[in-house]
Amino acid sequence: MTATAPQWARTARRMTRASLLSIAWFWAICVIAGTVVILVLDWRMGEPPFSIMSTIRYAGIWYPFSVALIVVTATINVHVAAGMTRRSFVIGALISNVVIGVVNGIAMTAVLAIERGIYLDQGWSHVATSAAPIPSAWGVSLVFHCVMFLAGGLSGVLVGLTYYRWGAWATVALPLTVLPPIIASGLDPAVVTVAVIAATTVATAVASYAMARTIAIRKPLEMS
């Protein structure tokens, strides 16, 4: 990708590159910690009582949410000050978080598949801590987790823009701006639930785009 690439493409590349490093550390820590827990439970109890790696799914929703929120609020001033448009900023942010969501979905599917193979090989039950089952088919698991993690990242973009525009008053909008990840945290892989998460996530992306197009650029001291 050259310097002549569209502004939104360059923005998406920069945000994705910055976020991927953070996400790589996230997965490294989670997998190492999860493996240690499995080994300790096997040693002390004979077998883990549930899928340890499935608990990563909660963090996989809210950690990208936090990263997206921070990146948006910290870089929009610099982006516009560099002569680029608000439109290219929000498009780049949305594309970046779609990429991150898919990467996280692939990682989660792979981690659960590997853990499932180990559990079954040891004769252990591979069940989640909640009533929501773990999809055994990799295709279903991939779609489910991609949609789930997209909800977190894209909601983070909207919350970041909302806070940037209205400051502390933006907290009153949280029930609406965080609706997709709240629904996703239910961890129900039913088709209806996945469709609701997807629909609310799309609405979140549209709201982010509409808000960013006319957002007023604020001085750093005006953020509080």
Side-chain angles (χ1 to χ4, degrees), residues 30-212:
C30 286
V31 170
I32 292 172
T35 301
V36 171
V37 171
I38 291 173
L39 293 175
V40 170
L41 290 175
D42 179 31
W43 170 51
R44 298 294 295 177
M45 301 177 61
E47 71 174 85
F50 51 81
S51 165
I52 303 303
M53 296 303 179
S54 68
T55 60
I56 299 175
R57 297 188 291 186
Y58 297 97
I61 296 171
W62 294 104
Y63 182 70
F65 167 89
S66 302
V67 172
L69 191 160
I70 293 170
V71 169
V72 165
T73 55
T75 61
I76 186 170
N77 277 29
V78 177
H79 180 91
V80 177
M84 292 186 281
T85 66
R86 296 163 176 78
R87 177 177 176 273
S88 65
F89 178 84
V90 68
I91 292 176
L94 293 174
I95 292 176
S96 174
N97 279 279
V98 168
V99 172
I100 296 300
V102 172
V103 169
N104 283 333
I106 293 172
M108 187 77 260
T109 300
V111 166
L112 284 176
I114 293 171
E115 184 193 50
R116 178 181 177 83
I118 295 173
Y119 271 48
L120 295 181
D121 184 63
Q122 297 295 320
W124 302 339
S125 298
H126 192 238
V127 296
T129 57
S130 64
I134 301 174
S136 57
W138 72 267
V140 176
S141 180
L142 179 62
V143 172
F144 172 52
H145 289 108
C146 282
V147 171
M148 177 189 300
F149 296 143
L150 281 170
L154 294 179
S155 181
V157 174
L158 179 59
V159 172
L161 290 171
T162 304
Y163 173 76
Y164 181 88
R165 182 164 186 172
W166 287 296
W169 288 103
T171 56
V172 300
L174 285 178
L176 296 176
T177 52
V178 299
L179 183 60
I182 287 176
I183 298 175
S185 295
L187 300 177
D188 182 359
V191 174
V192 173
T193 304
V194 172
V196 171
I197 297 171
T200 54
T201 301
V202 170
T204 293
V206 172
S208 297
Y209 180 81
M211 181 185 299

